[in-house]
Amino acid sequence: MTTKPLRAGLVGLGSMGRHHARVLAGLEGVDFVGVVDPFGDKYGAAQGAPVLGTVEELIALGIDYAVVACPTALHEEVGLQLAEAGVCALVEKPVADTVEGARRLVQAFESRGLVAGVGHIERCNPALRSLRARLEAGELGDVYQVVTRRQGPFPHRIADVGVVKDLATHDIDLTGWVTGRQYVSIAAHTVSKSGREHEDMVSAVGRLDDGTMVNHLVNWLSPLKERFTSVTGERGCFIADTLTADLTFHSNAAVATEWEALRAFRGVSEGDMIRYAIPKREPLQVEHELFRDAVLGKPADICTLRQGMRTVEVAAAVLESAMGMRSVSLQPEDLATSGT
């Protein structure tokens, strides 16, 4: 007996929406039935699906779920329309542009028992998936510190949010996801050098609920494009390059040091370096497969709306910290409802 394909739609044919359209058109077990974009299919990216003017028209096609890839400021409005119609949704990150909006989306989908997720695509990066599995297996021992650097030139496609909500949300989410921990405090500084309304550089220091130190450097002001994540712990350091999906482990030395000048230092020393050979599937393809399976009721490790909401809460704390020039605490009662 064959399972009837899911009917999926897409809202938004912008830079990210065009990639979603390509994957949806070839996704096994899914019929890509329509796209909403008030500007039409300017780039010929709809993959043959009809292009509609409103979300209501898409819902009328009888869809099982929709991917929301419109500007961040519209995520709440579109998501609430889909929830009201009983349609599951995969919302691009960040889930909403405000904490209040994210909470309203969580309530709307959860109260109706609908599957909904957030497109934090770094969770599907091969290097980070391998890193997470190795941390869960205890290969690093106790975790001491997570450091991320995410920098590069200004992307002209972004107009409605700053670097914190657009880029730093990647690092906030992946840090909590790979470690399985929650942020309890954050201190940040931002600058704006490009003449835009929003910040284009942020440096943040945080603490997770097990005492792990976190450092994030994110900007749109560098000619160097970098996507770096390191996790340092008891037995060494993992380094993930999510541009190339490479994962490397630098172990603490286990051999005795005979050089007297070095023996005086009682800390760790360099050991073996291992670069892992891991399968490198396209992260967006993996993200779509996981969400499809979740809609079908199968076990699937998706980023839930509650987890996406928590990321928005931490991002808001980053901006609050930078504006007030102080550390911001994230209270335990918030942690209890965030669903990491």
Side-chain angles (χ1 to χ4, degrees):
M1 181 177 178
T2 58
T3 302
K4 184 179 179 181
L6 293 172
R7 293 173 62 81
L10 171 65
V11 181
L13 274 174
S15 177
M16 197 64 203
R18 295 194 292 274
H19 290 294
H20 282 295
R22 170 180 55 82
V23 175
L24 280 169
L27 189 60
E28 184 178 353
V30 171
D31 287 339
F32 182 32
V33 299
V35 183
V36 176
D37 196 304
F39 299 105
D41 188 9
K42 297 188 297 183
Y43 301 97
Q47 305 292 322
V51 180
L52 312 169
T54 67
V55 174
E56 290 83 357
E57 291 175 83
L58 181 63
I59 292 170
L61 294 180
I63 55 174
D64 297 298
Y65 74 91
V67 177
V68 180
C70 52
T72 303
L74 298 176
H75 284 186
E76 180 186 354
E77 176 186 341
V78 172
L80 292 178
Q81 285 181 275
L82 294 171
E84 179 68 26
V87 176
C88 300
L90 173 61
V91 185
E92 259 303 333
K93 65 86 206 161
V95 62
D97 61 346
T98 66
V99 171
E100 295 75 19
R103 291 172 179 167
R104 284 188 287 268
L105 284 173
V106 168
Q107 197 280 331
F109 282 92
E110 286 189 352
S111 65
R112 295 171 172 84
L114 296 169
V115 176
V118 186
H120 280 290
I121 197 167
E122 291 287 42
R123 294 188 179 209
C124 300
N125 187 286
L128 293 178
R129 291 179 74 82
S130 179
L131 170 56
R132 184 189 189 219
R134 294 176 186 280
L135 292 180
E136 288 180 338
E139 293 185 18
L140 194 60
D142 290 340
V143 175
Y144 302 152
Q145 182 185 46
V146 180
V147 175
T148 70
R149 296 196 302 270
R150 185 175 299 267
Q151 52 188 347
F154 173 71
H156 294 284
R157 62 183 177 82
I158 302 297
D160 58 339
V161 294
V163 75
V164 171
K165 291 182 179 179
D166 182 61
L167 283 190
T169 48
H170 279 302
D171 296 308
I172 292 167
D173 179 75
L174 75 84
T175 296
W177 179 71
V178 299
T179 61
R181 312 308 305 191
Q182 292 276 359
Y183 287 78
V184 294
S185 69
I186 199 81
H189 179 65
T190 59
V191 297
S192 181
K193 297 292 186 181
S194 62
R196 298 171 65 250
E197 175 186 356
H198 303 288
E199 78 289 342
D200 41 38
M201 175 179 283
V202 61
S203 177
V205 177
R207 185 169 62 88
L208 304 183
D209 57 6
D210 64 346
T212 298
M213 179 187 293
V214 174
N215 301 80
H216 301 308
L217 176 62
V218 190
N219 74 67
W220 280 327
L221 299 175
S222 172
L224 167 68
K225 187 171 184 179
E226 186 179 31
R227 301 289 184 267
F228 171 95
T229 300
S230 72
V231 182
T232 301
E234 181 182 6
R235 297 173 185 159
C237 176
F238 283 110
I239 295 178
D241 182 336
T242 53
L243 284 177
T244 61
D246 289 325
L247 179 65
T248 306
F249 178 58
H250 298 260
S251 68
N252 294 340
V255 296
T257 301
E258 297 182 4
W259 187 359
E260 187 64 32
L262 295 181
R263 290 179 63 186
F265 175 62
R266 299 302 182 185
V268 301
S269 55
E270 289 185 54
D272 295 331
M273 183 184 76
I274 303 170
R275 181 175 174 182
Y276 298 102
I278 53 179
K280 295 183 179 181
R281 300 188 63 219
E282 182 187 2
L284 192 62
Q285 180 74 30
V286 174
E287 180 179 271
H288 274 273
E289 290 173 358
L290 290 172
F291 190 75
R292 172 203 62 196
D293 290 350
V295 173
L296 290 171
K298 300 177 182 179
D301 183 21
I302 67 170
C303 177
T304 68
L305 282 194
R306 278 193 174 271
Q307 292 167 348
M309 177 185 72
R310 182 58 180 178
T311 295
V312 173
E313 290 173 349
V314 177
V318 168
L319 293 172
E320 180 185 345
S321 170
M323 182 174 296
M325 301 184 67
R326 61 183 178 85
S327 178
V328 173
S329 296
L330 294 133
Q331 299 301 320
E333 54 265 29
D334 294 332
L335 303 180
T337 62
S338 61
T340 292

